[in-house]
Every structure is written in structure tokens, then in C-alpha cells.
């Protein structure tokens, strides 16, 4: 495979013979007639485990699979199109996109064109191997995306997906000032978040869609960043913003936000709206410091957007119960604490904020008075019983201490 030239390691002598023997024996146990994407899934599994063990450093090259799956479901890539990830890490966005296309329309390898950029040499190798084991090929370039544009990106891509590094400083502004990839201007603050956002937007063609991870702080950033955000909202292409809860990523424990752009939206009846979804309370706990989304939860979140767009929902992963609970009539409607479709005028009134919590609100729960009183009575009775037991124990302890001291 020419894509793997110079990618695979050649210094196996650093391993003990016993280690290599055990490795080969383990591989020999894998059935030779495995079908589908088995080796690709094995590679993904170990990438995820390695990223988790590496913590912060691991998160630099690996985006948790459920996050990628939601992004792919939201932008819905189709065959025959060009996909860009200018911060591609180990290439997970490409793999999930190819898988989505394959599930929808058949073989993906000859139906999507993959383009990526990545700054770190070793991570470029991870991405190329990831594509290869999934039967894919792509043009992955080692480059610094802020300053270099090896794919001539402006207006060229049908889809852009990314999980860029957050809050990067020390980008040399003099080297990016006249770059057409930053159409809304260079932020004065020493923070690259709004450089990334513009890179994603400017790479899209007239019908392109983008989905990317962004630091929470970008939703409400002030100063020059607010002006850039205002211009972006006024294009009509900001489609959906999803708030994600804590501990979903290896790089940060803080909550993040998923942004979705759609250059098709200005020509629809949703042209003057942006959908906000608050998914901070939707998760499954993996361990004390990590959370994830189940396939059912990913499908549910993507179905909210499909309802809003007027597209048919999917139910292969069991989201029907959640959909019936929140959208019993099978049509989109704002749900307090979960989702809200907001006009551009309202966004302007809120200082061009793209913070979902500002628009979605909170759930107002009604309390059954009789159940409330019944529960209070139960708790009062339990408290009195425990108090009596504590008093009895105090007397017993005092008697024992008296006998010991006497």
C-alpha cells in the first residue's frame, strides 16, 4: 500500500523476542475469514484504549466515537463528495463518514474523497494506518493549518468535520492577516478558536455542511470574536448548536459545544432560525471520570435535528421511546430544558450568544401535593426512629465507658 510508505515502524528489534512471539500468536488466533470492518474496529478499539490511558495527550489524536457519530449523523455525508478535516488527528471523522455512507448507499471507499491536515508527524501516521485498516485512502498532509493550505480549501468541500485544539495562543497574526480562509477578520485576542471556526466555514462550497467541536467559551466570547460570530450568524449558515456535558473528552473535563453549519439552510423555511440543543444531562457514566453517549442517545439527539429539518427520523438504535416521550405528535416543537428553535432577531437581542442554555431554559416540574406530604411523613418517621436509636447507643456507650474507667 503506497499510502503506508514511511508510516509503519521498522524498529521492531526494540521489543523482546518473547513479546513479538506472543503478538504473532495472538494475531494467528484471529480467523482469516473475518468479514466487514473487523480489523478496522480492532484498530479503533486500541486507539480508544490508548487515548484513555494517555489522558490529555491521548485526546490530542482521538475524538470519542459517540461524538464523531453524532457529528456524522448531523451532517449526513453522501457518496461522491469531498470531506475535509483540517485537524484530523487519527482520522476518526473519516472512518465514521465512510461507515455512514456505506450503511446508507453501499461501498464507501470509491465514493468519498478524503482530505486531512495534521501538524504532528506521529499522528499523521496513525491517521494513515487508520484509513488503511478500514480499506480507505485519503490525502493526509503534515502541515500547520493556521499558516498552510495544501488543499486550496476555500469553497472546495462538501463536508468539514473537526475537533481542533482549544484556546491555542501565540498564532502569529502577521502571517494570517491576508489569508482568504479568514473572511471575517483576525481576532485581536490571543486565542485561535475563531480562526478555526472561520477555517471550517470558508472551506465549504455553496451547499456544504460542517460539524465541529468547540470550546464552550467561544459561544459567548466578546470583543472582536463577538463581531466575527455576528457576521457568521448573519450568513444564515449556523444550523445547530449542541451543548455537551462534562467528562466526555480525554483532553478536557469541562463541557464543550458542537457547532453545525449548513450553507443550504438560507434557502429553506429555517433560514432565519438556529436550533439549540442542551445535551448536558444526556449521558451514560463509564467510570468516575468519563462519560459517553449510548447508540440510543446519539440517535435521539440526531433525530431532534431531523424533526426540525422536516426529515424522517430513524429508529434502528431504539430511540423511539425517547422520541415518543418528548415529541409525542411526531413533529418538532421546543422542549424546555432540551431544545429550542431561535430566530436571528432573538440571537441579536442576546448579544449574538450561541450558548444553548440561554435559549433552551430549564424543565419546570410539577409536584403532586399528596405524594409530597406522604414522602415528608415517611422521612420524618425515619428520622425519629434513627434519633431514638442514637440516644440508646449514647447511653450504652456511656455505661461501657463508666465500667472501663471504674
Amino acid at each position: 500500500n503506497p499510502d503506508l510508505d514511511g508510516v509503519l515502524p521498522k524498529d521492531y528489534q526494540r521489543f523482546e523476542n518473547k513479546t513479538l512471539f506472543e503478538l504473532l500468536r495472538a494475531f494467528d488466533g484471529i480467523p482469516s475469514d473475518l468479514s466487514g470492518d473487523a480489523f478496522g474496529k480492532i484498530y479503533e478499539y486500541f486507539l480508544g484504549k490508548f487515548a484513555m490511558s494517555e489522558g490529555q495527550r491521548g485526546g490530542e489524536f482521538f475524538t470519542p466515537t459517540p461524538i464523531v457519530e453524532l457529528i456524522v449523523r448531523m451532517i449526513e455525508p453522501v457518496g461522491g463528495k469531498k470531506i475535509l478535516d483540517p485537524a484530523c488527528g487519527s482520522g476518526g471523522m473519516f472512518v465514521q463518514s465512510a461507515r455512514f455512507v456505506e450503511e446508507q448507499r453501499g461501498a464507501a471507499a470509491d465514493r468519498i474523497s478524503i482530505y486531512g491536515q495534521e501538524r504532528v508527524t506521529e499522528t499523521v501516521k496513525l491517521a494513515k494506518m487508520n484509513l488503511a485498516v478500514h480499506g480507505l485512502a485519503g490525502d493526509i498532509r503534515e502541515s500547520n493549518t493556521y499558516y498552510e493550505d495544501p488543499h486550496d480549501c476555500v469553497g472546495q468541500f462538501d463536508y468539514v468535520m473537526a475537533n481542533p485544539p482549544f484556546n491555542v495562543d501565540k498564532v502569529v497574526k502577521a502571517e494570517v492577516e491576508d489569508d482568504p480562509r479568514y473572511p471575517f477578520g483576525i481576532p485581536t485576542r490571543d486565542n485561535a478558536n475563531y480562526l478555526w471556526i472561520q477555517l471550517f466555514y470558508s472551506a465549504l462550497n455553496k451547499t456544504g455542511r460542517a460539524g465541529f467541536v468547540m470550546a464552550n467559551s467561544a459561544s459567548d466570547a466578546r470583543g472582536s470574536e463577538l463581531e466575527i460570530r455576528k457576521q457568521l450568524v448573519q450568513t444564515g449558515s449556523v444550523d445547530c448548536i449542541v451543548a455537551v456535558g462534562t467528562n466526555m473528552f480525554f483532553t478536557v473535563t469541562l463541557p464543550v459545544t458542537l457547532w453545525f453549519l449548513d450553507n443550504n439552510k438560507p434557502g429553506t423555511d429555517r433560514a432565519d432560525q438556529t436550533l439549540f440543543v442542551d445535551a448536558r444531562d444526556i449521558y451514560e457514566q463509564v467510570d468516575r471520570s468519563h462519560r459517553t453517549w449510548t447508540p440510543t442517545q446519539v440517535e435521539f439527539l440526531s433525530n431532534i435535528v431531523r424533526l426540525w429539518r422536516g426529515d424522517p427520523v430513524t429508529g434502528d438504535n431504539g430511540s423511539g421511546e425517547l422520541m415518543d416521550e418528548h415529541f409525542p405528535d411526531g413533529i418538532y416543537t421546543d422542549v424546555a430544558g432540551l431544545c429550542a428553535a431561535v430566530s436571528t432577531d432573538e440571537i441579536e437581542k442576546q448579544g449574538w450568544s450561541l450558548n444553548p442554555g440561554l435559549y433552551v431554559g430549564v424543565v419546570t416540574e410539577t409536584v403532586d401535593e399528596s405524594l409530597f406530604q406522604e414522602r415528608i411523613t415517611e422521612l420524618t418517621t425515619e428520622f425519629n426512629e434513627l434519633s431514638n436509636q442514637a440516644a440508646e447507643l449514647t447511653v450504652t456507650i456511656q455505661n461501657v465507658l463508666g465500667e472501663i474507667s471504674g
Side-chain angles (χ1 to χ4, degrees):
N1 187 335
D3 289 339
L4 296 182
D5 285 348
V7 171
L8 296 175
K10 299 178 181 179
D11 54 346
Y12 294 107
Q13 65 273 14
R14 61 182 170 150
F15 296 106
E16 294 182 3
N17 288 338
K18 180 181 177 181
T19 301
L20 290 173
F21 177 76
E22 291 297 329
L23 179 63
L24 290 172
R25 190 168 70 172
F27 272 100
D28 189 54
I30 299 174
S32 59
D33 60 347
L34 278 177
S35 60
D37 192 22
F39 283 101
K41 289 179 179 178
I42 292 170
Y43 188 84
E44 285 178 60
Y45 172 82
F46 283 108
L47 264 182
K49 290 294 185 182
F50 179 56
M52 183 176 290
S53 68
E54 289 291 294
Q56 175 82 17
R57 195 170 72 86
E60 292 176 2
F61 62 80
F62 184 81
T63 304
T65 300
I67 298 291
V68 181
E69 288 178 350
L70 180 61
I71 291 175
V72 171
R73 279 177 170 267
M74 297 272 271
I75 69 172
E76 300 179 300
V78 298
K81 303 293 185 178
K82 296 171 64 176
I83 299 177
L84 171 71
D85 184 345
C88 71
S90 57
M93 300 283 184
F94 301 132
V95 170
Q96 291 298 330
S97 296
R99 189 169 290 156
F100 181 87
V101 172
E102 184 174 2
E103 289 172 355
Q104 300 298 312
R105 294 175 177 82
D110 59 347
R111 303 194 67 177
I112 59 172
S113 299
I114 292 170
Y115 298 84
Q117 289 175 254
E118 172 57 46
R119 182 180 60 84
V120 181
T121 302
E122 295 305 316
T123 309
V124 171
K125 294 179 180 181
L126 284 176
K128 289 184 176 183
M129 285 190 286
N130 200 8
L131 293 180
V133 298
H134 287 89
L136 302 169
D139 187 356
I140 311 298
R141 305 286 186 92
E142 181 180 340
S143 59
N144 188 323
T145 304
Y146 301 122
Y147 311 118
E148 301 172 83
D149 185 17
H151 299 306
D152 296 321
C153 289
V154 176
Q156 295 299 310
F157 289 91
D158 302 286
Y159 306 102
V160 175
M161 297 171 290
N163 176 17
F166 297 165
N167 304 317
V168 174
D169 59 6
K170 296 182 174 60
V171 175
V172 182
K173 291 184 172 62
E175 294 189 26
V176 298
E177 281 179 350
D178 298 321
D179 194 320
R181 295 178 298 160
Y182 309 112
F184 304 130
I186 308 302
T188 56
R189 187 163 165 245
D190 190 14
N191 185 305
N193 289 341
Y194 273 81
L195 293 178
W196 283 114
I197 292 170
Q198 293 186 78
L199 281 166
F200 306 144
Y201 171 77
S202 64
L204 295 176
N205 60 27
K206 292 181 180 180
T207 58
R209 282 180 171 177
F212 53 90
V213 186
M214 186 46 58
N216 246 17
S217 58
S219 300
D220 290 307
R222 311 300 293 176
S224 61
E225 293 166 313
L226 184 153
E227 180 59 32
I228 293 171
R229 187 171 64 250
K230 170 185 173 181
Q231 293 180 67
L232 181 62
V233 173
Q234 287 176 331
T235 67
S237 293
V238 180
D239 190 41
C240 179
I241 306 290
V242 179
V244 180
T246 58
N247 295 317
M248 292 286 285
F249 287 78
F250 302 125
T251 42
V252 289
T253 58
L254 297 174
V256 302
T257 309
L258 305 182
W259 292 41
F260 296 92
L261 310 178
D262 185 355
N263 281 348
N264 270 316
K265 186 170 76 75
T268 70
D269 56 4
R270 301 175 286 108
D272 189 48
Q273 290 187 333
T274 296
L275 180 66
F276 292 91
V277 179
D278 191 342
R280 289 176 294 179
D281 292 328
I282 298 175
Y283 60 85
E284 181 177 81
Q285 198 75 34
V286 177
D287 54 39
R288 187 172 59 85
S289 57
H290 295 102
R291 293 174 174 175
T292 190
W293 283 327
T294 66
T296 298
Q297 291 167 337
V298 171
E299 184 178 77
F300 171 61
L301 291 170
S302 64
N303 274 339
I304 295 173
V305 181
R306 294 182 70 82
L307 271 187
W308 178 63
R309 290 173 177 166
D311 297 335
V313 300
T314 59
D316 295 341
N317 290 324
S319 65
E321 185 175 336
L322 285 169
M323 294 301 294
D324 291 341
E325 176 186 346
H326 293 91
F327 307 97
D329 297 328
I331 58 174
Y332 175 81
T333 183
D334 291 352
V335 178
L338 178 62
C339 57
V342 180
S343 69
T344 302
D345 285 344
E346 179 61 25
I347 294 173
E348 181 178 6
K349 290 177 184 177
Q350 298 295 340
W352 302 102
S353 171
L354 294 179
N355 184 343
L358 189 62
Y359 304 102
V360 170
V362 296
V363 179
T364 303
E365 296 185 5
T366 57
V367 179
D368 188 314
E369 186 67 25
S370 61
L371 291 177
F372 177 76
Q373 290 296 337
E374 181 180 340
R375 184 60 177 149
I376 286 294
T377 301
E378 292 175 356
L379 291 171
T380 301
T381 301
E382 184 179 354
F383 174 76
N384 290 334
E385 291 175 353
L386 291 171
S387 296
N388 292 333
Q389 292 175 17
E392 292 172 1
L393 285 171
T394 300
V395 172
T396 301
I397 292 170
Q398 289 175 341
N399 290 337
V400 171
L401 291 174
E403 291 175 2
I404 294 173
S405 61

